[in-house]
Amino acid sequence: MASTVQFDAIILGAGGAGLMCAAVAGQRGRRVLLVDHAPEAGRKILISGGGRCNFTNLDVAPDRYLSANPHFARSALSRYTATDFIALVDRYKIAWHEKTLGQLFCDGSARQIVAMLLDECAAGGVTLRLGHAIRDITHSDGLFRIDDGAQAATAPALVIATGGPSIPKLGATGFAYDLARKFGLKVVEPRPALVPLTLPQDEALFHSLAGVATPVAARAGDAAFAEAALFTHRGLSGPAILQISSYWRHGEPIGIDFLPGQHGWLVAAKRARPRASLRSVLGGLLPDRLAEALADRIGLTGALDEKRDAVLVEVEQRLADWQFRPNGTEGFAKAEVTVGGISTDGLSSKTMEARKIPGLYVIGEAVDVTGWLGGYNFQWAWASGWAAGQAL
Ligand SMILES: Cc1cc2nc3c(=O)[nH]c(=O)nc-3n(C[C@H](O)[C@H](O)[C@H](O)COP(=O)(O)OP(=O)(O)OC[C@H]3O[C@@H](n4cnc5c(N)ncnc54)[C@H](O)[C@@H]3O)c2cc1C
């Protein structure tokens, strides 16, 4: 029979959110147990940002997060800000830089962020149990009890910080959702997000462009992102596409502006170089293979001065809103995050505590709050972890 150890709080999942929550609660004097089935803490932090961890963004704002309740993230994000996390990183003398669009990365390695969070947990006297799958969780008489076969633990507070199902090979699971349902919390349909989109075979021409990247403005519904897009063997990727994938719904088209910010460029080219062809003008504006493929598809041959302006304007418009109909995404295996998750309806936005089950908290990616690409998701992990850590 396994012995039972008592804690003030048990936190399930030693990712960004769980580590932050454990450190904050521990340093507030709580006896904290932090459990993870993976053999090391913070695995997604370690691989994030190409190994340099894009740990926050200077432009964090609630409208850069997707959720069935767009206001939910506001409170936590305003109480633990990017500036707060930067102050922590600076205290540990971890050098960082802004890469682009407010995205902050370590100069060195993402390992520094994990080491910092583990140090913060140690400073709070957190008990860390790695490599242990939880077999059973029960709740009675105001106490949560977990059992991993070797040891049982109880606490009046349980924090679900086991993330979403993206990248299962790193130990990601839908465990948070199973637990939520067990405790009667609703789950908003989880979908892969920040994920490459796949194109059907009749877009084969574009499959042949695998490896070509170009700055675009990508649109899905009301959302638009001006960043790079990349053609892949299976479809489309690159930051603009990853961003738009979070908003895209099956069956919808996405629109790509191949020449963002350029208006009247083809009519102007006709005046400047009347004998030029569409192919040669595009060749000066886009990667050559892409220019070739687009000119082929449009099928406008001959010199520009043989065409009416109205025809050229139509070509400009087509290239400003090229319609792709993705047939899917590359799925959770390739998704950086999950859109959807445990519904915010049943949670306090101030503390992350479940309204109907005192002592149960949900933080990080497990919650139906998903950030844009660019450090927004870690900032949510830190902020929601901090909010719960203050309340435990
Ligand atoms: C390749 C990649 C790159 C990324 N880069 C960035 C970036 O640069 N910037 C950014 O802001 N975001 C990035 N993200 C997103 C970011 O990693 C997540 O949003 C963030 O890690 C979520 O933190 P979390 O603590 O909620 O969940 P996680 O980090 O997923 O942590 C959950 C923990 O729970 C554990 N767990 C799961 N199931 C169980 C179980 N049944 N029992 C016990 N433990 C369990 C897991 O092992 C894991 O340690 C990236 C994601 C990926 C996949």
Side-chain angles (χ1 to χ4, degrees), residues 13 15-17 36-37 44 47-49 54 161-162 167 171 173 175 336 364-365 375 377-378:
D36 203 297
H37 66 171
K44 280 196 185 163
I47 58 151
S48 68
N54 177 192
T162 51
I167 321 273
T173 65
F175 187 59
E336 278 197 17
E365 196 179 322
N377 284 296
F378 279 135

mmCIF file with all atom_site columns, all heavy atoms in Angstrom, residues 13 15-17 36-37 44 47-49 54 161-162 167 171 173 175 336 364-365 375 377-378, ligand 1:
data_model
loop_
_atom_site.group_PDB
_atom_site.id
_atom_site.type_symbol
_atom_site.label_atom_id
_atom_site.label_alt_id
_atom_site.label_comp_id
_atom_site.label_asym_id
_atom_site.label_entity_id
_atom_site.label_seq_id
_atom_site.pdbx_PDB_ins_code
_atom_site.Cartn_x
_atom_site.Cartn_y
_atom_site.Cartn_z
_atom_site.occupancy
_atom_site.B_iso_or_equiv
_atom_site.pdbx_formal_charge
_atom_site.auth_seq_id
_atom_site.auth_comp_id
_atom_site.auth_asym_id
_atom_site.auth_atom_id
_atom_site.pdbx_PDB_model_num
ATOM   1   N N   . GLY A 1 13  ? 1.552  18.695 -14.297 1.00 0.00 ? 13  GLY A N   1
ATOM   2   C CA  . GLY A 1 13  ? 2.140  19.241 -15.516 1.00 0.00 ? 13  GLY A CA  1
ATOM   3   C C   . GLY A 1 13  ? 3.222  20.254 -15.206 1.00 0.00 ? 13  GLY A C   1
ATOM   4   O O   . GLY A 1 13  ? 2.949  21.335 -14.684 1.00 0.00 ? 13  GLY A O   1
ATOM   5   N N   . GLY A 1 15  ? 5.084  22.038 -17.255 1.00 0.00 ? 15  GLY A N   1
ATOM   6   C CA  . GLY A 1 15  ? 5.412  22.890 -18.400 1.00 0.00 ? 15  GLY A CA  1
ATOM   7   C C   . GLY A 1 15  ? 5.532  24.322 -17.908 1.00 0.00 ? 15  GLY A C   1
ATOM   8   O O   . GLY A 1 15  ? 5.658  24.569 -16.694 1.00 0.00 ? 15  GLY A O   1
ATOM   9   N N   . GLY A 1 16  ? 5.470  25.276 -18.832 1.00 0.00 ? 16  GLY A N   1
ATOM   10  C CA  . GLY A 1 16  ? 5.633  26.677 -18.451 1.00 0.00 ? 16  GLY A CA  1
ATOM   11  C C   . GLY A 1 16  ? 4.649  27.117 -17.388 1.00 0.00 ? 16  GLY A C   1
ATOM   12  O O   . GLY A 1 16  ? 5.026  27.758 -16.391 1.00 0.00 ? 16  GLY A O   1
ATOM   13  N N   . ALA A 1 17  ? 3.378  26.764 -17.571 1.00 0.00 ? 17  ALA A N   1
ATOM   14  C CA  . ALA A 1 17  ? 2.350  27.226 -16.634 1.00 0.00 ? 17  ALA A CA  1
ATOM   15  C C   . ALA A 1 17  ? 2.525  26.568 -15.268 1.00 0.00 ? 17  ALA A C   1
ATOM   16  O O   . ALA A 1 17  ? 2.486  27.241 -14.228 1.00 0.00 ? 17  ALA A O   1
ATOM   17  C CB  . ALA A 1 17  ? 0.964  26.921 -17.204 1.00 0.00 ? 17  ALA A CB  1
ATOM   18  N N   . ASP A 1 36  ? 4.871  15.366 -13.197 1.00 0.00 ? 36  ASP A N   1
ATOM   19  C CA  . ASP A 1 36  ? 4.809  15.275 -14.663 1.00 0.00 ? 36  ASP A CA  1
ATOM   20  C C   . ASP A 1 36  ? 5.193  13.856 -15.069 1.00 0.00 ? 36  ASP A C   1
ATOM   21  O O   . ASP A 1 36  ? 6.077  13.253 -14.465 1.00 0.00 ? 36  ASP A O   1
ATOM   22  C CB  . ASP A 1 36  ? 5.780  16.272 -15.311 1.00 0.00 ? 36  ASP A CB  1
ATOM   23  C CG  . ASP A 1 36  ? 5.377  16.615 -16.739 1.00 0.00 ? 36  ASP A CG  1
ATOM   24  O OD1 . ASP A 1 36  ? 5.365  15.691 -17.593 1.00 0.00 ? 36  ASP A OD1 1
ATOM   25  O OD2 . ASP A 1 36  ? 5.076  17.795 -17.003 1.00 0.00 ? 36  ASP A OD2 1
ATOM   26  N N   . HIS A 1 37  ? 4.539  13.348 -16.103 1.00 0.00 ? 37  HIS A N   1
ATOM   27  C CA  . HIS A 1 37  ? 4.899  12.000 -16.550 1.00 0.00 ? 37  HIS A CA  1
ATOM   28  C C   . HIS A 1 37  ? 6.144  11.994 -17.429 1.00 0.00 ? 37  HIS A C   1
ATOM   29  O O   . HIS A 1 37  ? 6.733  10.949 -17.667 1.00 0.00 ? 37  HIS A O   1
ATOM   30  C CB  . HIS A 1 37  ? 3.712  11.299 -17.227 1.00 0.00 ? 37  HIS A CB  1
ATOM   31  C CG  . HIS A 1 37  ? 3.276  11.930 -18.515 1.00 0.00 ? 37  HIS A CG  1
ATOM   32  N ND1 . HIS A 1 37  ? 2.355  11.343 -19.350 1.00 0.00 ? 37  HIS A ND1 1
ATOM   33  C CD2 . HIS A 1 37  ? 3.617  13.095 -19.108 1.00 0.00 ? 37  HIS A CD2 1
ATOM   34  C CE1 . HIS A 1 37  ? 2.159  12.114 -20.403 1.00 0.00 ? 37  HIS A CE1 1
ATOM   35  N NE2 . HIS A 1 37  ? 2.902  13.178 -20.270 1.00 0.00 ? 37  HIS A NE2 1
ATOM   36  N N   . LYS A 1 44  ? 8.468  21.532 -23.816 1.00 0.00 ? 44  LYS A N   1
ATOM   37  C CA  . LYS A 1 44  ? 8.093  22.416 -24.927 1.00 0.00 ? 44  LYS A CA  1
ATOM   38  C C   . LYS A 1 44  ? 8.882  23.716 -24.875 1.00 0.00 ? 44  LYS A C   1
ATOM   39  O O   . LYS A 1 44  ? 9.138  24.327 -25.902 1.00 0.00 ? 44  LYS A O   1
ATOM   40  C CB  . LYS A 1 44  ? 6.584  22.696 -24.921 1.00 0.00 ? 44  LYS A CB  1
ATOM   41  C CG  . LYS A 1 44  ? 5.806  21.555 -25.542 1.00 0.00 ? 44  LYS A CG  1
ATOM   42  C CD  . LYS A 1 44  ? 4.401  21.937 -25.903 1.00 0.00 ? 44  LYS A CD  1
ATOM   43  C CE  . LYS A 1 44  ? 3.684  20.702 -26.404 1.00 0.00 ? 44  LYS A CE  1
ATOM   44  N NZ  . LYS A 1 44  ? 2.225  20.878 -26.413 1.00 0.00 ? 44  LYS A NZ  1
ATOM   45  N N   . ILE A 1 47  ? 12.240 23.060 -26.709 1.00 0.00 ? 47  ILE A N   1
ATOM   46  C CA  . ILE A 1 47  ? 12.281 23.033 -28.183 1.00 0.00 ? 47  ILE A CA  1
ATOM   47  C C   . ILE A 1 47  ? 11.718 24.308 -28.799 1.00 0.00 ? 47  ILE A C   1
ATOM   48  O O   . ILE A 1 47  ? 11.734 24.474 -30.008 1.00 0.00 ? 47  ILE A O   1
ATOM   49  C CB  . ILE A 1 47  ? 11.494 21.838 -28.756 1.00 0.00 ? 47  ILE A CB  1
ATOM   50  C CG1 . ILE A 1 47  ? 10.041 21.886 -28.290 1.00 0.00 ? 47  ILE A CG1 1
ATOM   51  C CG2 . ILE A 1 47  ? 12.153 20.517 -28.431 1.00 0.00 ? 47  ILE A CG2 1
ATOM   52  C CD1 . ILE A 1 47  ? 9.102  21.255 -29.286 1.00 0.00 ? 47  ILE A CD1 1
ATOM   53  N N   . SER A 1 48  ? 11.210 25.202 -27.966 1.00 0.00 ? 48  SER A N   1
ATOM   54  C CA  . SER A 1 48  ? 10.509 26.371 -28.513 1.00 0.00 ? 48  SER A CA  1
ATOM   55  C C   . SER A 1 48  ? 11.483 27.351 -29.155 1.00 0.00 ? 48  SER A C   1
ATOM   56  O O   . SER A 1 48  ? 12.662 27.396 -28.804 1.00 0.00 ? 48  SER A O   1
ATOM   57  C CB  . SER A 1 48  ? 9.733  27.070 -27.395 1.00 0.00 ? 48  SER A CB  1
ATOM   58  O OG  . SER A 1 48  ? 10.630 27.643 -26.491 1.00 0.00 ? 48  SER A OG  1
ATOM   59  N N   . GLY A 1 49  ? 10.922 28.113 -30.069 1.00 0.00 ? 49  GLY A N   1
ATOM   60  C CA  . GLY A 1 49  ? 11.711 29.186 -30.707 1.00 0.00 ? 49  GLY A CA  1
ATOM   61  C C   . GLY A 1 49  ? 13.016 28.657 -31.285 1.00 0.00 ? 49  GLY A C   1
ATOM   62  O O   . GLY A 1 49  ? 14.049 29.326 -31.151 1.00 0.00 ? 49  GLY A O   1
ATOM   63  N N   . ASN A 1 54  ? 11.035 31.754 -27.579 1.00 0.00 ? 54  ASN A N   1
ATOM   64  C CA  . ASN A 1 54  ? 10.425 33.085 -27.741 1.00 0.00 ? 54  ASN A CA  1
ATOM   65  C C   . ASN A 1 54  ? 9.509  33.261 -26.520 1.00 0.00 ? 54  ASN A C   1
ATOM   66  O O   . ASN A 1 54  ? 8.350  32.918 -26.556 1.00 0.00 ? 54  ASN A O   1
ATOM   67  C CB  . ASN A 1 54  ? 9.648  33.096 -29.068 1.00 0.00 ? 54  ASN A CB  1
ATOM   68  C CG  . ASN A 1 54  ? 8.915  34.376 -29.329 1.00 0.00 ? 54  ASN A CG  1
ATOM   69  O OD1 . ASN A 1 54  ? 8.082  34.444 -30.223 1.00 0.00 ? 54  ASN A OD1 1
ATOM   70  N ND2 . ASN A 1 54  ? 9.203  35.420 -28.561 1.00 0.00 ? 54  ASN A ND2 1
ATOM   71  N N   . ALA A 1 161 ? -2.450 21.549 -15.225 1.00 0.00 ? 161 ALA A N   1
ATOM   72  C CA  . ALA A 1 161 ? -1.521 22.330 -16.068 1.00 0.00 ? 161 ALA A CA  1
ATOM   73  C C   . ALA A 1 161 ? -0.880 21.392 -17.085 1.00 0.00 ? 161 ALA A C   1
ATOM   74  O O   . ALA A 1 161 ? 0.297  21.525 -17.406 1.00 0.00 ? 161 ALA A O   1
ATOM   75  C CB  . ALA A 1 161 ? -0.455 23.002 -15.202 1.00 0.00 ? 161 ALA A CB  1
ATOM   76  N N   . THR A 1 162 ? -1.696 20.431 -17.571 1.00 0.00 ? 162 THR A N   1
ATOM   77  C CA  . THR A 1 162 ? -1.119 19.416 -18.463 1.00 0.00 ? 162 THR A CA  1
ATOM   78  C C   . THR A 1 162 ? -1.226 19.786 -19.938 1.00 0.00 ? 162 THR A C   1
ATOM   79  O O   . THR A 1 162 ? -1.007 18.940 -20.802 1.00 0.00 ? 162 THR A O   1
ATOM   80  C CB  . THR A 1 162 ? -1.750 18.025 -18.215 1.00 0.00 ? 162 THR A CB  1
ATOM   81  O OG1 . THR A 1 162 ? -3.180 18.157 -18.239 1.00 0.00 ? 162 THR A OG1 1
ATOM   82  C CG2 . THR A 1 162 ? -1.330 17.460 -16.878 1.00 0.00 ? 162 THR A CG2 1
ATOM   83  N N   . ILE A 1 167 ? 1.699  18.034 -30.363 1.00 0.00 ? 167 ILE A N   1
ATOM   84  C CA  . ILE A 1 167 ? 2.997  17.334 -30.327 1.00 0.00 ? 167 ILE A CA  1
ATOM   85  C C   . ILE A 1 167 ? 2.995  16.193 -29.292 1.00 0.00 ? 167 ILE A C   1
ATOM   86  O O   . ILE A 1 167 ? 3.712  16.253 -28.279 1.00 0.00 ? 167 ILE A O   1
ATOM   87  C CB  . ILE A 1 167 ? 4.198  18.298 -30.078 1.00 0.00 ? 167 ILE A CB  1
ATOM   88  C CG1 . ILE A 1 167 ? 4.018  19.618 -30.838 1.00 0.00 ? 167 ILE A CG1 1
ATOM   89  C CG2 . ILE A 1 167 ? 5.503  17.590 -30.428 1.00 0.00 ? 167 ILE A CG2 1
ATOM   90  C CD1 . ILE A 1 167 ? 4.503  19.665 -32.241 1.00 0.00 ? 167 ILE A CD1 1
ATOM   91  N N   . GLY A 1 171 ? 5.089  14.112 -25.191 1.00 0.00 ? 171 GLY A N   1
ATOM   92  C CA  . GLY A 1 171 ? 4.370  13.784 -23.949 1.00 0.00 ? 171 GLY A CA  1
ATOM   93  C C   . GLY A 1 171 ? 3.061  14.536 -23.797 1.00 0.00 ? 171 GLY A C   1
ATOM   94  O O   . GLY A 1 171 ? 2.421  14.464 -22.746 1.00 0.00 ? 171 GLY A O   1
ATOM   95  N N   . THR A 1 173 ? -0.806 15.319 -24.073 1.00 0.00 ? 173 THR A N   1
ATOM   96  C CA  . THR A 1 173 ? -1.984 14.442 -24.033 1.00 0.00 ? 173 THR A CA  1
ATOM   97  C C   . THR A 1 173 ? -3.252 15.295 -23.904 1.00 0.00 ? 173 THR A C   1
ATOM   98  O O   . THR A 1 173 ? -3.182 16.497 -23.648 1.00 0.00 ? 173 THR A O   1
ATOM   99  C CB  . THR A 1 173 ? -1.950 13.525 -22.788 1.00 0.00 ? 173 THR A CB  1
ATOM   100 O OG1 . THR A 1 173 ? -2.053 14.364 -21.615 1.00 0.00 ? 173 THR A OG1 1
ATOM   101 C CG2 . THR A 1 173 ? -0.681 12.709 -22.718 1.00 0.00 ? 173 THR A CG2 1
ATOM   102 N N   . PHE A 1 175 ? -5.164 14.733 -21.493 1.00 0.00 ? 175 PHE A N   1
ATOM   103 C CA  . PHE A 1 175 ? -5.478 14.401 -20.096 1.00 0.00 ? 175 PHE A CA  1
ATOM   104 C C   . PHE A 1 175 ? -6.270 15.518 -19.411 1.00 0.00 ? 175 PHE A C   1
ATOM   105 O O   . PHE A 1 175 ? -7.199 15.258 -18.633 1.00 0.00 ? 175 PHE A O   1
ATOM   106 C CB  . PHE A 1 175 ? -4.153 14.153 -19.365 1.00 0.00 ? 175 PHE A CB  1
ATOM   107 C CG  . PHE A 1 175 ? -4.291 13.631 -17.962 1.00 0.00 ? 175 PHE A CG  1
ATOM   108 C CD1 . PHE A 1 175 ? -4.954 12.440 -17.710 1.00 0.00 ? 175 PHE A CD1 1
ATOM   109 C CD2 . PHE A 1 175 ? -3.727 14.315 -16.896 1.00 0.00 ? 175 PHE A CD2 1
ATOM   110 C CE1 . PHE A 1 175 ? -5.057 11.934 -16.416 1.00 0.00 ? 175 PHE A CE1 1
ATOM   111 C CE2 . PHE A 1 175 ? -3.826 13.822 -15.604 1.00 0.00 ? 175 PHE A CE2 1
ATOM   112 C CZ  . PHE A 1 175 ? -4.500 12.635 -15.359 1.00 0.00 ? 175 PHE A CZ  1
ATOM   113 N N   . GLU A 1 336 ? 1.671  23.818 -33.112 1.00 0.00 ? 336 GLU A N   1
ATOM   114 C CA  . GLU A 1 336 ? 2.380  24.400 -31.958 1.00 0.00 ? 336 GLU A CA  1
ATOM   115 C C   . GLU A 1 336 ? 1.464  24.518 -30.759 1.00 0.00 ? 336 GLU A C   1
ATOM   116 O O   . GLU A 1 336 ? 1.917  24.478 -29.618 1.00 0.00 ? 336 GLU A O   1
ATOM   117 C CB  . GLU A 1 336 ? 2.962  25.771 -32.307 1.00 0.00 ? 336 GLU A CB  1
ATOM   118 C CG  . GLU A 1 336 ? 4.279  25.651 -33.033 1.00 0.00 ? 336 GLU A CG  1
ATOM   119 C CD  . GLU A 1 336 ? 5.075  26.941 -33.043 1.00 0.00 ? 336 GLU A CD  1
ATOM   120 O OE1 . GLU A 1 336 ? 4.807  27.854 -32.240 1.00 0.00 ? 336 GLU A OE1 1
ATOM   121 O OE2 . GLU A 1 336 ? 5.976  27.020 -33.887 1.00 0.00 ? 336 GLU A OE2 1
ATOM   122 N N   . GLY A 1 364 ? -2.729 27.652 -18.223 1.00 0.00 ? 364 GLY A N   1
ATOM   123 C CA  . GLY A 1 364 ? -1.926 27.391 -19.429 1.00 0.00 ? 364 GLY A CA  1
ATOM   124 C C   . GLY A 1 364 ? -2.762 26.984 -20.619 1.00 0.00 ? 364 GLY A C   1
ATOM   125 O O   . GLY A 1 364 ? -3.930 27.348 -20.769 1.00 0.00 ? 364 GLY A O   1
ATOM   126 N N   . GLU A 1 365 ? -2.135 26.186 -21.460 1.00 0.00 ? 365 GLU A N   1
ATOM   127 C CA  . GLU A 1 365 ? -2.756 25.817 -22.735 1.00 0.00 ? 365 GLU A CA  1
ATOM   128 C C   . GLU A 1 365 ? -3.995 24.941 -22.556 1.00 0.00 ? 365 GLU A C   1
ATOM   129 O O   . GLU A 1 365 ? -4.811 24.825 -23.481 1.00 0.00 ? 365 GLU A O   1
ATOM   130 C CB  . GLU A 1 365 ? -1.713 25.100 -23.598 1.00 0.00 ? 365 GLU A CB  1
ATOM   131 C CG  . GLU A 1 365 ? -2.110 25.020 -25.049 1.00 0.00 ? 365 GLU A CG  1
ATOM   132 C CD  . GLU A 1 365 ? -1.053 24.326 -25.905 1.00 0.00 ? 365 GLU A CD  1
ATOM   133 O OE1 . GLU A 1 365 ? 0.157  24.533 -25.652 1.00 0.00 ? 365 GLU A OE1 1
ATOM   134 O OE2 . GLU A 1 365 ? -1.450 23.587 -26.807 1.00 0.00 ? 365 GLU A OE2 1
ATOM   135 N N   . GLY A 1 375 ? 5.453  34.329 -28.958 1.00 0.00 ? 375 GLY A N   1
ATOM   136 C CA  . GLY A 1 375 ? 5.703  34.525 -27.530 1.00 0.00 ? 375 GLY A CA  1
ATOM   137 C C   . GLY A 1 375 ? 4.433  34.738 -26.728 1.00 0.00 ? 375 GLY A C   1
ATOM   138 O O   . GLY A 1 375 ? 4.469  34.800 -25.498 1.00 0.00 ? 375 GLY A O   1
ATOM   139 N N   . ASN A 1 377 ? 1.887  32.700 -26.373 1.00 0.00 ? 377 ASN A N   1
ATOM   140 C CA  . ASN A 1 377 ? 1.409  31.529 -25.634 1.00 0.00 ? 377 ASN A CA  1
ATOM   141 C C   . ASN A 1 377 ? 2.181  31.328 -24.342 1.00 0.00 ? 377 ASN A C   1
ATOM   142 O O   . ASN A 1 377 ? 1.598  30.980 -23.316 1.00 0.00 ? 377 ASN A O   1
ATOM   143 C CB  . ASN A 1 377 ? 1.432  30.294 -26.543 1.00 0.00 ? 377 ASN A CB  1
ATOM   144 C CG  . ASN A 1 377 ? 0.264  30.351 -27.505 1.00 0.00 ? 377 ASN A CG  1
ATOM   145 O OD1 . ASN A 1 377 ? -0.882 30.312 -27.086 1.00 0.00 ? 377 ASN A OD1 1
ATOM   146 N ND2 . ASN A 1 377 ? 0.558  30.522 -28.791 1.00 0.00 ? 377 ASN A ND2 1
ATOM   147 N N   . PHE A 1 378 ? 3.493  31.568 -24.375 1.00 0.00 ? 378 PHE A N   1
ATOM   148 C CA  . PHE A 1 378 ? 4.219  31.473 -23.101 1.00 0.00 ? 378 PHE A CA  1
ATOM   149 C C   . PHE A 1 378 ? 3.756  32.561 -22.135 1.00 0.00 ? 378 PHE A C   1
ATOM   150 O O   . PHE A 1 378 ? 3.625  32.318 -20.940 1.00 0.00 ? 378 PHE A O   1
ATOM   151 C CB  . PHE A 1 378 ? 5.734  31.537 -23.312 1.00 0.00 ? 378 PHE A CB  1
ATOM   152 C CG  . PHE A 1 378 ? 6.305  30.197 -23.724 1.00 0.00 ? 378 PHE A CG  1
ATOM   153 C CD1 . PHE A 1 378 ? 7.215  30.095 -24.757 1.00 0.00 ? 378 PHE A CD1 1
ATOM   154 C CD2 . PHE A 1 378 ? 5.923  29.032 -23.063 1.00 0.00 ? 378 PHE A CD2 1
ATOM   155 C CE1 . PHE A 1 378 ? 7.718  28.855 -25.145 1.00 0.00 ? 378 PHE A CE1 1
ATOM   156 C CE2 . PHE A 1 378 ? 6.416  27.792 -23.442 1.00 0.00 ? 378 PHE A CE2 1
ATOM   157 C CZ  . PHE A 1 378 ? 7.322  27.708 -24.482 1.00 0.00 ? 378 PHE A CZ  1
HETATM 158 C C1  . LIG B 2 .   ? 7.488  23.234 -31.425 1.00 0.00 ? 1   LIG B C1  1
HETATM 159 C C2  . LIG B 2 .   ? 6.842  24.265 -30.550 1.00 0.00 ? 1   LIG B C2  1
HETATM 160 C C3  . LIG B 2 .   ? 7.421  25.517 -30.438 1.00 0.00 ? 1   LIG B C3  1
HETATM 161 C C4  . LIG B 2 .   ? 6.800  26.498 -29.652 1.00 0.00 ? 1   LIG B C4  1
HETATM 162 N N1  . LIG B 2 .   ? 7.405  27.716 -29.551 1.00 0.00 ? 1   LIG B N1  1
HETATM 163 C C5  . LIG B 2 .   ? 6.814  28.673 -28.792 1.00 0.00 ? 1   LIG B C5  1
HETATM 164 C C6  . LIG B 2 .   ? 7.460  29.927 -28.605 1.00 0.00 ? 1   LIG B C6  1
HETATM 165 O O1  . LIG B 2 .   ? 8.608  30.144 -29.049 1.00 0.00 ? 1   LIG B O1  1
HETATM 166 N N2  . LIG B 2 .   ? 6.793  30.883 -27.882 1.00 0.00 ? 1   LIG B N2  1
HETATM 167 C C7  . LIG B 2 .   ? 5.560  30.653 -27.322 1.00 0.00 ? 1   LIG B C7  1
HETATM 168 O O2  . LIG B 2 .   ? 5.013  31.547 -26.672 1.00 0.00 ? 1   LIG B O2  1
HETATM 169 N N3  . LIG B 2 .   ? 4.964  29.453 -27.439 1.00 0.00 ? 1   LIG B N3  1
HETATM 170 C C8  . LIG B 2 .   ? 5.565  28.463 -28.151 1.00 0.00 ? 1   LIG B C8  1
HETATM 171 N N4  . LIG B 2 .   ? 4.967  27.239 -28.254 1.00 0.00 ? 1   LIG B N4  1
HETATM 172 C C9  . LIG B 2 .   ? 3.712  27.006 -27.505 1.00 0.00 ? 1   LIG B C9  1
HETATM 173 C C10 . LIG B 2 .   ? 4.064  26.730 -26.039 1.00 0.00 ? 1   LIG B C10 1
HETATM 174 O O3  . LIG B 2 .   ? 5.050  25.722 -25.991 1.00 0.00 ? 1   LIG B O3  1
HETATM 175 C C11 . LIG B 2 .   ? 2.838  26.300 -25.248 1.00 0.00 ? 1   LIG B C11 1
HETATM 176 O O4  . LIG B 2 .   ? 1.805  27.236 -25.407 1.00 0.00 ? 1   LIG B O4  1
HETATM 177 C C12 . LIG B 2 .   ? 3.190  26.195 -23.770 1.00 0.00 ? 1   LIG B C12 1
HETATM 178 O O5  . LIG B 2 .   ? 4.225  25.248 -23.620 1.00 0.00 ? 1   LIG B O5  1
HETATM 179 C C13 . LIG B 2 .   ? 1.982  25.780 -22.943 1.00 0.00 ? 1   LIG B C13 1
HETATM 180 O O6  . LIG B 2 .   ? 2.418  25.631 -21.614 1.00 0.00 ? 1   LIG B O6  1
HETATM 181 P P1  . LIG B 2 .   ? 1.654  24.685 -20.625 1.00 0.00 ? 1   LIG B P1  1
HETATM 182 O O7  . LIG B 2 .   ? 2.467  24.663 -19.377 1.00 0.00 ? 1   LIG B O7  1
HETATM 183 O O8  . LIG B 2 .   ? 0.231  25.055 -20.534 1.00 0.00 ? 1   LIG B O8  1
HETATM 184 O O9  . LIG B 2 .   ? 1.671  23.246 -21.315 1.00 0.00 ? 1   LIG B O9  1
HETATM 185 P P2  . LIG B 2 .   ? 2.929  22.331 -21.693 1.00 0.00 ? 1   LIG B P2  1
HETATM 186 O O10 . LIG B 2 .   ? 4.150  23.103 -21.884 1.00 0.00 ? 1   LIG B O10 1
HETATM 187 O O11 . LIG B 2 .   ? 2.446  21.459 -22.810 1.00 0.00 ? 1   LIG B O11 1
HETATM 188 O O12 . LIG B 2 .   ? 3.139  21.453 -20.382 1.00 0.00 ? 1   LIG B O12 1
HETATM 189 C C14 . LIG B 2 .   ? 2.249  20.434 -20.027 1.00 0.00 ? 1   LIG B C14 1
HETATM 190 C C15 . LIG B 2 .   ? 3.002  19.408 -19.219 1.00 0.00 ? 1   LIG B C15 1
HETATM 191 O O13 . LIG B 2 .   ? 2.058  18.430 -18.786 1.00 0.00 ? 1   LIG B O13 1
HETATM 192 C C16 . LIG B 2 .   ? 2.648  17.154 -18.934 1.00 0.00 ? 1   LIG B C16 1
HETATM 193 N N5  . LIG B 2 .   ? 1.572  16.168 -19.091 1.00 0.00 ? 1   LIG B N5  1
HETATM 194 C C17 . LIG B 2 .   ? 0.725  16.013 -20.144 1.00 0.00 ? 1   LIG B C17 1
HETATM 195 N N6  . LIG B 2 .   ? -0.106 14.992 -19.900 1.00 0.00 ? 1   LIG B N6  1
HETATM 196 C C18 . LIG B 2 .   ? 0.211  14.503 -18.669 1.00 0.00 ? 1   LIG B C18 1
HETATM 197 C C19 . LIG B 2 .   ? -0.285 13.446 -17.889 1.00 0.00 ? 1   LIG B C19 1
HETATM 198 N N7  . LIG B 2 .   ? -1.293 12.678 -18.324 1.00 0.00 ? 1   LIG B N7  1
HETATM 199 N N8  . LIG B 2 .   ? 0.283  13.218 -16.690 1.00 0.00 ? 1   LIG B N8  1
HETATM 200 C C20 . LIG B 2 .   ? 1.304  13.986 -16.236 1.00 0.00 ? 1   LIG B C20 1
HETATM 201 N N9  . LIG B 2 .   ? 1.828  15.004 -16.947 1.00 0.00 ? 1   LIG B N9  1
HETATM 202 C C21 . LIG B 2 .   ? 1.283  15.250 -18.139 1.00 0.00 ? 1   LIG B C21 1
HETATM 203 C C22 . LIG B 2 .   ? 3.537  17.259 -20.163 1.00 0.00 ? 1   LIG B C22 1
HETATM 204 O O14 . LIG B 2 .   ? 4.558  16.278 -20.120 1.00 0.00 ? 1   LIG B O14 1
HETATM 205 C C23 . LIG B 2 .   ? 4.060  18.685 -20.035 1.00 0.00 ? 1   LIG B C23 1
HETATM 206 O O15 . LIG B 2 .   ? 5.279  18.750 -19.337 1.00 0.00 ? 1   LIG B O15 1
HETATM 207 C C24 . LIG B 2 .   ? 5.586  26.233 -28.991 1.00 0.00 ? 1   LIG B C24 1
HETATM 208 C C25 . LIG B 2 .   ? 5.024  24.954 -29.083 1.00 0.00 ? 1   LIG B C25 1
HETATM 209 C C26 . LIG B 2 .   ? 5.646  23.974 -29.843 1.00 0.00 ? 1   LIG B C26 1
HETATM 210 C C27 . LIG B 2 .   ? 5.027  22.607 -29.901 1.00 0.00 ? 1   LIG B C27 1
#
